Amino acid sequence: MNISMVQIHTTKAQLGMTTTPSRLSIEQPQATVDIRQPKAEMNITTTPGKLSIDQTQAWADMDRKHIFQRIKEAASEGRQKALEGTGRRAAEGRELADIHKGGNAIAMQAARSNTRNYETGLAWVPSHGSVKINYEPGDVRIDAQARPVENHTRANKPIINYQPGSVKVQLKQYPSIDFQVVNKTI
């Protein structure tokens, strides 16, 4: 007995895919920078110091006086000596007028006129404290006013370009089924 056989041939479907990749580009533009720093306002006011030095007494101690001072002192000393001399002569005249009362007025007057007083000792030239120094300190005033920073900086947005990709799917080979009968007997 012959048995018929059926042969089945199948062909699988084949898919084909075509892809286009997506593209992405990003650019970041630099920020627009606009910064300014205004100058600060500053005022400086100074009052100068004053130094005064008076050496008049020191020069006088060294006998280096101004001519006006010398004239003034000579006039004062001359007046004083004239008054002393007038007083002394008046007193001596009274003594001589009273000679009849007794005493030795002429010998006493002679002894007084021969006595001289001399001063000796150490002296510092110029004397201590003869230079007068006076100092008035100066003053400095600083008035500064800072100005704030003017910042007008802007950040720029990024530039983004995007092209989407694509995927195309196609059927490269269709599926099929083929039936065949082998050893066919009828």
Side-chain angles (χ1 to χ4, degrees), residues 147-160:
R147 299 286 183 230
V149 173
E150 295 175 8
N151 188 354
H152 302 289
T153 302
R154 288 176 293 145
N156 293 322
K157 293 183 179 180
I159 301 169
I160 300 173

Side-chain angles (χ1 to χ4, degrees), residues 123-186:
W124 298 100
V125 177
S127 61
H128 176 71
S130 61
V131 177
K132 310 286 190 284
I133 298 174
N134 184 30
Y135 178 68
E136 295 175 20
D139 186 30
V140 177
R141 292 182 184 165
I142 299 173
D143 179 28
Q145 294 178 354
R147 299 286 183 230
V149 173
E150 295 175 8
N151 188 354
H152 302 289
T153 302
R154 288 176 293 145
N156 293 322
K157 293 183 179 180
I159 301 169
I160 300 173
N161 289 323
Y162 176 68
Q163 280 185 326
S166 63
V167 177
K168 292 183 183 176
V169 179
Q170 71 247 8
L171 195 58
K172 278 179 137 184
Q173 182 177 344
Y174 286 95
S176 64
I177 296 176
D178 186 24
F179 295 97
Q180 283 186 350
V181 178
V182 180
N183 290 338
K184 197 168 93 163
T185 52
I186 309 192

Side-chain angles (χ1 to χ4, degrees), residues 25-150:
S25 66
I26 300 175
E27 289 182 43
Q28 177 63 60
Q30 291 185 352
T32 305
V33 179
D34 181 13
I35 298 176
R36 284 186 290 157
Q37 174 65 63
K39 291 182 181 178
E41 287 187 21
M42 184 166 64
N43 293 321
I44 300 175
T45 307
T46 59
T47 304
K50 292 181 183 177
L51 174 65
S52 61
I53 301 173
D54 183 7
Q55 304 180 73
T56 307
Q57 183 62 40
W59 288 112
D61 289 351
M62 294 185 293
D63 200 30
R64 298 194 64 174
K65 302 174 186 173
H66 191 271
I67 188 66
F68 294 145
Q69 188 177 358
R70 284 190 183 279
I71 291 171
K72 187 177 180 180
E73 287 176 2
S76 176
E77 187 179 346
R79 184 172 190 270
Q80 183 65 32
K81 293 287 183 186
L83 290 173
E84 287 174 10
T86 303
R88 189 184 68 219
R89 282 181 180 71
E92 287 175 355
R94 267 187 246 115
E95 281 181 5
L96 289 175
D98 290 339
I99 202 165
H100 65 282
K101 292 182 183 177
N104 198 356
I106 295 173
M108 287 173 39
Q109 286 179 6
R112 277 195 306 251
S113 65
N114 279 336
T115 307
R116 292 190 179 138
N117 293 331
Y118 295 102
E119 291 184 22
T120 60
L122 292 175
W124 298 100
V125 177
S127 61
H128 176 71
S130 61
V131 177
K132 310 286 190 284
I133 298 174
N134 184 30
Y135 178 68
E136 295 175 20
D139 186 30
V140 177
R141 292 182 184 165
I142 299 173
D143 179 28
Q145 294 178 354
R147 299 286 183 230
V149 173
E150 295 175 8

